[in-house]
Protein backbone atom coordinates (compact mmCIF):
# COMPACT_ATOMS: atom_id res chain seq x y z
CA UNK A 1 0.00 0.00 0.00
CA UNK A 2 1.39 3.41 -0.93
CA UNK A 3 0.58 6.30 1.46
CA UNK A 4 0.17 9.85 0.29
CA UNK A 5 2.12 12.62 1.98
CA UNK A 6 -1.02 13.52 3.99
CA UNK A 7 -1.44 9.91 5.09
CA UNK A 8 2.21 9.74 6.15
CA UNK A 9 1.86 12.81 8.37
CA UNK A 10 -1.36 11.46 9.95
CA UNK A 11 0.42 8.19 10.73
CA UNK A 12 3.37 10.10 12.17
CA UNK A 13 1.19 11.99 14.64
CA UNK A 14 -0.71 8.87 15.68
CA UNK A 15 2.51 7.05 16.45
CA UNK A 16 4.00 10.05 18.22
CA UNK A 17 1.00 10.50 20.49
CA UNK A 18 1.22 6.85 21.51
CA UNK A 19 4.86 7.15 22.73
CA UNK A 20 5.32 6.92 26.51
CA UNK A 21 5.80 10.29 28.20
CA UNK A 22 4.67 12.36 25.19
CA UNK A 23 1.58 13.82 26.96
CA UNK A 24 3.56 14.52 30.12
CA UNK A 25 6.30 16.33 28.22
CA UNK A 26 4.06 18.53 26.11
CA UNK A 27 0.97 19.17 28.22
CA UNK A 28 1.11 22.72 29.59
CA UNK A 29 -0.79 21.69 32.76
CA UNK A 30 -1.48 18.28 34.29
CA UNK A 31 -4.95 17.01 33.49
CA UNK A 32 -7.13 16.95 36.64
CA UNK A 33 -8.94 13.80 37.57
CA UNK A 34 -12.23 15.76 37.78
CA UNK A 35 -12.73 18.79 35.49
CA UNK A 36 -13.61 21.99 37.40
CA UNK A 37 -17.20 23.22 37.34
CA UNK A 38 -17.85 25.74 34.58
CA UNK A 39 -19.60 28.60 36.34
CA UNK A 40 -20.60 30.19 33.04
CA UNK A 41 -22.47 27.18 31.75
CA UNK A 42 -25.96 26.04 32.63
CA UNK A 43 -28.21 23.18 31.66
CA UNK A 44 -28.67 22.48 27.99
CA UNK A 45 -32.30 22.89 26.88
CA UNK A 46 -34.05 21.52 23.85
CA UNK A 47 -35.36 24.06 21.34
CA UNK A 48 -38.93 23.66 22.61
CA UNK A 49 -37.81 24.06 26.22
CA UNK A 50 -35.75 27.11 25.31
CA UNK A 51 -38.74 28.65 23.52
CA UNK A 52 -40.87 28.12 26.60
CA UNK A 53 -38.13 29.42 28.87
CA UNK A 54 -37.67 32.59 26.85
CA UNK A 55 -41.44 33.02 26.31
CA UNK A 56 -41.22 33.15 22.53
CA UNK A 57 -44.68 32.96 20.99
CA UNK A 58 -45.40 31.17 17.73
CA UNK A 59 -47.34 33.11 15.11
CA UNK A 60 -48.35 32.41 11.52
CA UNK A 61 -48.47 34.72 8.51
CA UNK A 62 -52.16 35.36 7.70
CA UNK A 63 -51.59 37.54 4.62
CA UNK A 64 -53.59 36.11 1.68
CA UNK A 65 -51.42 34.92 -1.20
CA UNK A 66 -53.67 36.89 -3.56
CA UNK A 67 -52.69 40.23 -2.01
CA UNK A 68 -50.20 42.07 -4.18
CA UNK A 69 -47.59 44.73 -3.41
CA UNK A 70 -47.68 43.96 0.30
CA UNK A 71 -44.95 44.96 2.73
CA UNK A 72 -43.47 43.17 5.72
CA UNK A 73 -46.02 43.03 8.50
CA UNK A 74 -44.24 44.62 11.43
CA UNK A 75 -44.48 47.34 14.05
CA UNK A 76 -42.02 50.21 13.59
CA UNK A 77 -40.58 51.29 16.94
CA UNK A 78 -37.06 52.61 16.38
CA UNK A 79 -36.90 54.32 19.79
CA UNK A 80 -37.99 51.23 21.73
CA UNK A 81 -41.03 53.05 23.13
CA UNK A 82 -42.78 49.71 23.73
CA UNK A 83 -39.93 48.08 25.66
CA UNK A 84 -41.39 48.72 29.10
CA UNK A 85 -44.69 47.25 27.93
CA UNK A 86 -42.98 44.17 26.46
CA UNK A 87 -41.17 43.69 29.77
CA UNK A 88 -44.47 43.77 31.67
CA UNK A 89 -45.95 41.33 29.19
CA UNK A 90 -43.01 38.96 29.52
CA UNK A 91 -43.20 38.96 33.33
CA UNK A 92 -47.01 38.81 33.35
CA UNK A 93 -47.05 38.95 37.15
CA UNK A 94 -50.13 41.18 37.23
CA UNK A 95 -52.97 42.19 34.91
CA UNK A 96 -51.43 43.80 31.81
CA UNK A 97 -54.03 46.09 30.27
CA UNK A 98 -54.44 47.10 26.64
CA UNK A 99 -57.05 49.68 25.60
CA UNK A 100 -57.84 49.79 21.87
CA UNK A 101 -59.59 53.01 20.84
CA UNK A 102 -60.73 54.15 17.43
CA UNK A 103 -63.51 54.67 14.93
CA UNK A 104 -66.16 52.33 13.50
CA UNK A 105 -63.55 49.74 12.51
CA UNK A 106 -62.89 49.33 16.24
CA UNK A 107 -66.53 49.88 17.25
CA UNK A 108 -67.58 46.90 15.14
CA UNK A 109 -65.63 44.85 17.70
CA UNK A 110 -64.58 42.07 15.28
CA UNK A 111 -61.14 43.44 14.38
CA UNK A 112 -60.00 44.14 17.98
CA UNK A 113 -61.84 41.11 19.40
CA UNK A 114 -59.81 38.78 17.16
CA UNK A 115 -56.69 40.46 18.53
CA UNK A 116 -57.97 40.06 22.09
CA UNK A 117 -58.73 36.36 21.77
CA UNK A 118 -55.43 35.65 20.05
CA UNK A 119 -53.49 37.31 22.86
CA UNK A 120 -55.51 35.43 25.46
CA UNK A 121 -54.58 32.21 23.68
CA UNK A 122 -50.91 33.25 23.74
CA UNK A 123 -50.65 34.51 27.31
CA UNK A 124 -53.67 33.11 29.12
CA UNK A 125 -57.26 34.25 29.59
CA UNK A 126 -57.52 33.96 33.37
CA UNK A 127 -57.38 37.74 33.88
CA UNK A 128 -60.87 38.29 32.41
CA UNK A 129 -64.31 36.75 32.54
CA UNK A 130 -65.00 34.76 29.38
CA UNK A 131 -67.85 36.75 27.86
CA UNK A 132 -68.66 36.87 24.13
CA UNK A 133 -68.34 40.27 22.49
CA UNK A 134 -70.82 41.30 19.79
CA UNK A 135 -71.71 44.59 18.14
CA UNK A 136 -74.47 45.10 20.71
CA UNK A 137 -72.32 44.29 23.72
CA UNK A 138 -69.70 46.34 25.49
CA UNK A 139 -66.12 45.90 24.38
CA UNK A 140 -64.84 46.42 27.91
CA UNK A 141 -63.41 43.34 29.59
CA UNK A 142 -64.46 42.25 33.06
CA UNK A 143 -61.37 41.63 35.15
CA UNK A 144 -60.94 38.78 37.59
CA UNK A 145 -57.94 40.20 39.43
CA UNK A 146 -55.72 37.36 38.22
CA UNK A 147 -52.50 38.07 36.33
CA UNK A 148 -52.78 38.02 32.55
CA UNK A 149 -53.96 39.94 29.49
CA UNK A 150 -56.84 42.42 29.80
CA UNK A 151 -57.91 43.85 26.41
CA UNK A 152 -60.51 46.63 26.39
CA UNK A 153 -62.22 47.89 23.21
CA UNK A 154 -63.55 51.47 22.89
CA UNK A 155 -64.70 52.50 19.42
CA UNK A 156 -67.08 55.24 18.26
CA UNK A 157 -68.79 55.31 14.88
CA UNK A 158 -67.66 58.25 12.76
CA UNK A 159 -64.93 59.26 15.20
CA UNK A 160 -61.76 61.13 14.42
CA UNK A 161 -58.98 61.60 16.95
CA UNK A 162 -60.30 65.12 17.50
CA UNK A 163 -63.93 64.12 18.06
CA UNK A 164 -62.93 61.24 20.34
CA UNK A 165 -60.91 63.61 22.50
CA UNK A 166 -63.68 64.63 24.90
CA UNK A 167 -63.17 64.82 28.68
CA UNK A 168 -65.62 61.93 29.13
CA UNK A 169 -63.81 59.63 26.69
CA UNK A 170 -60.38 60.52 27.97
CA UNK A 171 -61.52 59.97 31.55
CA UNK A 172 -62.92 56.57 30.58
CA UNK A 173 -59.63 55.52 28.96
CA UNK A 174 -57.57 56.68 31.93
CA UNK A 175 -59.93 54.88 34.31
CA UNK A 176 -58.95 51.55 32.75
CA UNK A 177 -55.31 52.07 33.85
CA UNK A 178 -53.81 50.99 30.50
CA UNK A 179 -50.27 49.74 30.00
CA UNK A 180 -50.71 50.11 26.23
CA UNK A 181 -53.13 52.25 24.23
CA UNK A 182 -53.69 51.26 20.61
CA UNK A 183 -54.96 54.26 18.62
CA UNK A 184 -56.80 53.48 15.35
CA UNK A 185 -58.17 56.55 13.55
CA UNK A 186 -57.78 57.99 10.06
CA UNK A 187 -60.64 56.70 7.92
CA UNK A 188 -62.96 59.57 8.87
CA UNK A 189 -60.19 62.16 8.66
CA UNK A 190 -59.66 61.02 5.06
CA UNK A 191 -63.34 61.57 4.28
CA UNK A 192 -63.14 65.26 5.08
CA UNK A 193 -63.25 67.09 1.73
CA UNK A 194 -61.13 69.91 3.12
CA UNK A 195 -58.60 67.65 4.75
CA UNK A 196 -55.53 69.52 6.00
CA UNK A 197 -52.40 67.64 7.01
CA UNK A 198 -51.36 70.59 9.20
CA UNK A 199 -54.69 70.59 11.05
CA UNK A 200 -54.60 66.81 11.40
CA UNK A 201 -51.14 67.02 12.95
CA UNK A 202 -52.31 69.67 15.42
CA UNK A 203 -55.22 67.43 16.37
CA UNK A 204 -52.91 64.45 16.88
CA UNK A 205 -50.56 66.57 19.00
CA UNK A 206 -53.40 67.75 21.24
CA UNK A 207 -54.93 64.27 21.46
CA UNK A 208 -51.74 62.49 22.48
CA UNK A 209 -50.80 65.26 24.90
CA UNK A 210 -54.12 64.73 26.69
CA UNK A 211 -53.70 60.94 26.70
CA UNK A 212 -50.14 61.15 28.04
CA UNK A 213 -51.15 63.57 30.77
CA UNK A 214 -53.94 61.27 31.92
CA UNK A 215 -52.07 57.99 31.34
CA UNK A 216 -48.43 58.84 32.13
CA UNK A 217 -47.31 55.23 32.41
CA UNK A 218 -48.94 53.99 29.20
CA UNK A 219 -47.17 53.10 25.97
CA UNK A 220 -48.79 53.91 22.63
CA UNK A 221 -49.22 52.14 19.31
CA UNK A 222 -50.59 54.25 16.44
CA UNK A 223 -52.19 52.38 13.52
CA UNK A 224 -52.98 53.68 10.05
CA UNK A 225 -56.38 53.20 8.34
CA UNK A 226 -56.86 50.20 6.03
CA UNK A 227 -58.02 52.21 3.00
CA UNK A 228 -61.48 53.04 1.68
CA UNK A 229 -63.47 54.30 -1.29
CA UNK A 230 -65.41 57.55 -1.61
CA UNK A 231 -68.36 58.65 -3.69
CA UNK A 232 -67.82 59.63 -7.31
CA UNK A 233 -70.88 61.06 -9.02
CA UNK A 234 -74.36 60.02 -7.95
CA UNK A 235 -73.76 56.29 -7.60
CA UNK A 236 -70.14 55.62 -8.42
CA UNK A 237 -67.24 55.03 -6.06
CA UNK A 238 -63.56 55.62 -6.45
CA UNK A 239 -60.57 54.97 -4.22
CA UNK A 240 -60.21 57.71 -1.60
CA UNK A 241 -57.15 59.66 -2.72
CA UNK A 242 -56.87 61.47 0.63
CA UNK A 243 -56.02 58.27 2.52
CA UNK A 244 -52.30 58.32 1.52
CA UNK A 245 -52.05 61.90 2.87
CA UNK A 246 -53.62 60.85 6.16
CA UNK A 247 -51.28 57.87 6.41
CA UNK A 248 -48.24 60.00 5.67
CA UNK A 249 -49.29 62.51 8.35
CA UNK A 250 -49.65 59.74 10.93
CA UNK A 251 -46.34 58.15 9.96
CA UNK A 252 -44.48 61.45 10.28
CA UNK A 253 -46.20 62.26 13.55
CA UNK A 254 -45.20 58.88 14.99
CA UNK A 255 -41.59 59.29 13.83
CA UNK A 256 -41.30 62.83 15.19
CA UNK A 257 -42.77 61.88 18.56
CA UNK A 258 -41.08 58.53 19.15
CA UNK A 259 -44.30 56.53 18.88
CA UNK A 260 -44.63 52.96 17.70
CA UNK A 261 -46.53 52.60 14.42
CA UNK A 262 -48.35 49.76 12.69
CA UNK A 263 -48.88 50.84 9.07
CA UNK A 264 -51.75 48.60 7.98
CA UNK A 265 -52.32 50.66 4.83
CA UNK A 266 -48.89 50.06 3.29
CA UNK A 267 -48.63 46.53 4.70
CA UNK A 268 -51.82 45.63 2.82
CA UNK A 269 -50.64 47.12 -0.47
CA UNK A 270 -50.50 50.89 -0.06
CA UNK A 271 -51.75 53.47 -2.49
CA UNK A 272 -51.45 51.17 -5.49
CA UNK A 273 -52.96 47.97 -4.12
CA UNK A 274 -54.53 48.19 -0.62
CA UNK A 275 -58.10 48.93 -1.71
CA UNK A 276 -57.78 46.70 -4.76
CA UNK A 277 -56.56 43.83 -2.59
CA UNK A 278 -59.46 44.20 -0.16
CA UNK A 279 -61.89 44.43 -3.09
CA UNK A 280 -60.52 41.43 -4.98
CA UNK A 281 -60.82 39.34 -1.82
CA UNK A 282 -64.47 40.45 -1.36
CA UNK A 283 -63.66 41.90 2.05
CA UNK A 284 -65.41 45.26 1.68
CA UNK A 285 -69.05 45.81 2.57
CA UNK A 286 -71.25 47.53 -0.01
CA UNK A 287 -70.24 51.02 1.13
CA UNK A 288 -66.59 50.17 0.36
CA UNK A 289 -65.62 51.81 3.66
CA UNK A 290 -66.42 49.13 6.20
CA UNK A 291 -65.33 45.51 5.94
CA UNK A 292 -66.98 42.13 6.01
CA UNK A 293 -66.43 39.88 8.98
CA UNK A 294 -63.72 38.08 7.00
CA UNK A 295 -62.01 41.41 6.33
CA UNK A 296 -62.00 42.43 9.97
CA UNK A 297 -60.84 38.96 11.02
CA UNK A 298 -57.88 39.30 8.68
CA UNK A 299 -57.04 42.74 10.07
CA UNK A 300 -57.12 41.34 13.60
CA UNK A 301 -54.84 38.47 12.63
CA UNK A 302 -52.43 40.84 10.89
CA UNK A 303 -52.23 43.08 13.96
CA UNK A 304 -51.65 40.03 16.12
CA UNK A 305 -48.85 38.79 13.87
CA UNK A 306 -47.06 42.16 13.92
CA UNK A 307 -47.56 42.44 17.69
CA UNK A 308 -46.11 39.00 18.43
CA UNK A 309 -43.18 39.50 16.07
CA UNK A 310 -42.29 42.72 17.92
CA UNK A 311 -42.68 40.95 21.27
CA UNK A 312 -40.46 38.07 20.15
CA UNK A 313 -37.84 40.56 18.93
CA UNK A 314 -37.79 42.09 22.41
CA UNK A 315 -37.51 38.68 24.09
CA UNK A 316 -34.61 37.83 21.77
CA UNK A 317 -32.66 40.80 23.13
CA UNK A 318 -32.55 38.99 26.47
CA UNK A 319 -30.18 36.48 24.84
CA UNK A 320 -27.58 39.18 24.19
Amino acid sequence: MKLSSTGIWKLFWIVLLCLPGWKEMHAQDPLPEQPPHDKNSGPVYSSSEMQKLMRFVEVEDPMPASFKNTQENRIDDPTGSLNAFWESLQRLDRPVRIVHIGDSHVRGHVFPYIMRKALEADFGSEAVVDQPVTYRSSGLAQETGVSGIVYHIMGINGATCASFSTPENLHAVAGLDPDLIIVSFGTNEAHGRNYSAEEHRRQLTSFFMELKNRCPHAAFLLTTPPGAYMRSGRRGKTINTRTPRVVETEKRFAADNGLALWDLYDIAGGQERACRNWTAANMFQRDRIHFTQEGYVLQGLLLHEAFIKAYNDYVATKLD
Side-chain angles (χ1 to χ4, degrees):
M1 179 179 66
K2 186 176 182 180
L3 291 175
S4 65
S5 58
T6 302
I8 293 172
W9 277 108
K10 286 183 178 179
L11 182 61
F12 169 79
W13 283 110
I14 291 172
V15 172
L16 189 63
L17 288 171
C18 293
L19 291 176
W22 172 259
K23 293 181 181 179
E24 287 75 7
M25 288 188 298
H26 289 81
Q28 294 180 354
D29 298 298
L31 296 176
E33 295 183 2
Q34 293 292 335
H37 175 67
D38 184 355
K39 297 180 180 180
N40 297 317
S41 297
V44 178
Y45 297 99
S46 68
S47 58
S48 60
E49 289 173 332
M50 179 60 76
Q51 181 166 326
K52 183 177 181 180
L53 180 67
M54 296 305 301
R55 293 193 66 84
F56 285 118
V57 179
E58 293 184 0
V59 66
E60 296 182 358
D61 179 3
M63 186 71 75
S66 62
F67 275 37
K68 300 178 180 179
N69 201 42
T70 59
Q71 295 187 8
E72 181 185 356
N73 184 20
R74 60 186 177 86
I75 290 173
D76 292 316
D77 186 21
T79 66
S81 68
L82 297 180
N83 285 355
F85 171 76
W86 298 135
E87 181 64 26
S88 297
L89 187 59
Q90 186 181 28
R91 290 199 310 267
L92 210 63
D93 55 0
R94 61 174 178 81
V96 176
R97 300 177 181 91
I98 300 172
V99 180
H100 195 160
I101 62 177
D103 50 30
S104 56
H105 298 312
V106 176
R107 172 62 185 87
H109 289 169
V110 177
F111 158 42
Y113 187 60
I114 291 297
M115 173 68 163
R116 175 200 285 187
K117 298 305 290 184
L119 291 182
E120 288 178 359
D122 295 330
F123 298 98
S125 59
E126 295 80 8
V128 296
V129 177
D130 186 14
Q131 295 177 329
V133 173
T134 68
Y135 183 80
R136 297 181 180 277
S137 71
S138 170
L140 301 183
Q142 182 179 342
E143 297 191 33
T144 64
V146 178
S147 299
I149 284 287
V150 178
Y151 197 109
H152 296 293
I153 303 168
M154 293 181 61
I156 298 177
N157 290 335
T160 63
C161 69
S163 68
F164 188 94
S165 186
T166 65
E168 294 77 15
N169 289 336
L170 295 172
H171 178 74
V173 173
L176 297 172
D177 192 21
D179 295 283
L180 172 67
I181 302 176
I182 303 177
V183 179
S184 298
F185 296 102
T187 293
N188 295 303
E189 281 87 344
H191 274 79
R193 292 186 178 182
N194 298 319
Y195 173 76
S196 165
E198 292 74 18
E199 179 62 22
H200 186 195
R201 187 180 179 90
R202 284 193 291 269
Q203 292 170 350
L204 286 167
T205 300
S206 175
F207 180 56
F208 275 90
M209 185 178 299
E210 289 286 346
L211 282 175
K212 289 181 177 181
N213 286 338
R214 293 171 182 264
C215 308
H217 304 296
F220 296 89
L221 173 60
L222 180 61
T223 80
T224 63
Y229 286 74
M230 60 183 182
R231 289 184 179 179
S232 178
R234 295 185 61 182
R235 296 185 178 181
K237 296 182 185 300
T238 186
I239 293 175
N240 191 332
T241 55
R242 290 184 288 270
T243 302
R245 296 173 59 196
V246 168
V247 171
E248 185 61 27
T249 299
E250 293 182 346
K251 289 168 66 175
R252 289 187 177 181
F253 178 82
D256 292 344
N257 291 274
L259 297 174
L261 177 84
W262 182 56
D263 183 10
L264 173 60
Y265 184 65
D266 286 315
I267 288 167
Q271 185 172 358
E272 294 298 322
R273 290 297 316 181
C275 286
R276 292 182 173 88
N277 285 335
W278 298 119
T279 301
N282 295 316
M283 290 184 176
F284 271 122
Q285 293 186 27
R286 291 182 63 183
D287 63 5
R288 299 286 183 93
I289 297 173
H290 300 95
F291 291 79
T292 63
Q293 180 169 334
E294 292 75 14
Y296 282 128
V297 167
L298 175 58
Q299 291 175 26
L301 292 175
L302 286 170
L303 176 56
H304 172 250
E305 182 200 15
F307 184 96
I308 294 301
K309 285 164 65 176
Y311 169 78
N312 284 341
D313 285 346
Y314 173 78
V315 172
T317 64
K318 298 291 187 174
L319 296 173
D320 296 338

